Amino acid sequence: MPEPTPATGALQKSSVLVTGATGHLGREVTARLRAQDAQVRALTRRRTGPRPGVESVTGDLTDPAAVRAALAGIDTVFLVWPLLDAGHAHGLVEVLTEVAPRVVYVSSAAIDDRAARQSDPIVQVHADMEALLHDTGLRTVVLRSDTLASNTRGWASQVRAGDVVAGPDITRTAVVDERDVADAAVAAVLGMREGGLDDETYVLTGPEPLGRAEQVSLLGAALRRPLRFEAVPAELARARMLADGRPEQLVEALITASLHRPESHRVTDHVERLTGRPSGTFARWAVDHAADFN
């Protein structure tokens, strides 16, 4: 159960540092923590506007001094690692070890625990981060998330311009609604505080594997338009993403993932285990977010 304060015996609120707080997932987590009356501190790399009930601090996860300051009075960290190199996380992990908060880390469902090396740099950095966190002895719950439905927002400009979504094809996976991942993350944060969760790994998926063409078709149905997906060869996709201004390292990681990440038919009930309800469909996500594509 939550610890009472020494003076009053009253239950203390959870105090949570949310990293990646301005991203699609981080915003959902922040909103849900506030709804649970948790004390929320958002760590962002750039100053943001005020949000009711949220303390914002500016800092970078690669800056140990900034992390140490952001952790003052915090009992749990919701951790999203934003870089493609876990080597830059050693300073972060050292500070976490000193302060010893509980950690909920968002990882990748594509990790193969049997492999010496993962399929692509995106999955590899998650595997490396998991290893770093577990080696410290920190109380850590790992949420291995499948592909987030919110990633499809990257198609918005193409959808507004026409009926074709073009890009590198990706193998089928059980795309998961980021709202379900956020609900699971908050359940993990609160469950760790109450002593019900400790050093566990969950794999969060949607209810069915989907390919890009199926996602585009479902999005078209939500928009009541005949959208279709057009797979683009890797070299052309690379050139287009670089021309759009995406960082070269990220582009190479995305292309490698499109070429080498294996297909996954895995569907789990781990969202339901944590939240008490099954994960939602991509079709429902598309209906709920149709306005983002108009």
Side-chain angles (χ1 to χ4, degrees), residues 208-264:
E208 60 179 339
L210 297 170
R212 287 278 174 94
E214 292 163 306
Q215 291 175 63
V216 170
S217 177
L218 289 167
L219 180 58
L223 296 171
R224 300 183 180 180
R225 291 173 51 191
L227 299 183
R228 64 182 178 86
F229 177 70
E230 181 179 285
V232 171
E235 287 304 316
L236 179 55
R238 178 185 287 109
R240 287 181 176 177
M241 285 190 281
L242 290 171
D244 288 340
R246 296 195 189 190
E248 184 175 356
Q249 186 183 25
L250 174 60
V251 170
E252 292 305 321
L254 292 170
I255 294 298
T256 303
S258 72
L259 294 172
H260 300 295
R261 190 172 298 182
E263 186 168 85
S264 172

Side-chain angles (χ1 to χ4, degrees), residues 128-140:
D128 292 343
M129 286 295 297
E130 285 190 23
L132 272 175
L133 290 167
H134 284 310
D135 287 347
T136 64
L138 286 165
R139 290 182 58 192
T140 303

Side-chain angles (χ1 to χ4, degrees), residues 36-122:
Q36 292 290 334
D37 201 31
Q39 295 176 336
V40 181
R41 182 177 298 154
L43 178 64
T44 60
R45 283 179 288 179
R46 291 175 292 275
R47 290 187 180 278
T48 60
R51 284 180 283 179
V54 178
E55 177 191 0
S56 293
V57 294
T58 304
D60 195 298
L61 285 174
T62 62
D63 180 353
V67 172
R68 186 176 287 105
L71 285 171
I74 292 294
D75 59 50
T76 310
V77 177
F78 171 76
L79 179 60
V80 177
W81 180 247
L83 304 179
L84 288 169
D85 183 355
H88 296 296
H90 286 279
L92 163 68
V93 172
E94 288 177 5
V95 174
L96 289 174
T97 304
E98 293 172 14
V99 180
R102 294 173 284 270
V103 177
V104 174
Y105 175 62
V106 179
S107 184
S108 170
I111 288 176
D112 181 352
D113 289 316
R114 301 164 297 179
R117 297 293 296 175
Q118 301 299 321
S119 61
D120 59 80
I122 296 171

Side-chain angles (χ1 to χ4, degrees), residues 166-192:
D169 204 359
I170 299 290
T171 55
R172 290 162 58 90
T173 63
V175 178
V176 61
D177 190 325
E178 69 277 6
R179 296 172 296 185
D180 290 335
V181 177
D183 284 337
V186 171
V189 167
L190 300 178
M192 290 182 81

Side-chain angles (χ1 to χ4, degrees), residues 152-165 214-228 282-294:
T152 61
R153 286 191 174 101
W155 302 337
S157 60
Q158 293 190 70
V159 172
R160 294 185 190 112
D163 293 332
V164 176
V165 173
E214 292 163 306
Q215 291 175 63
V216 170
S217 177
L218 289 167
L219 180 58
L223 296 171
R224 300 183 180 180
R225 291 173 51 191
L227 299 183
R228 64 182 178 86
F282 181 80
R284 168 48 56 189
W285 183 93
V287 168
D288 292 345
H289 293 85
D292 296 341
F293 298 87
N294 288 324

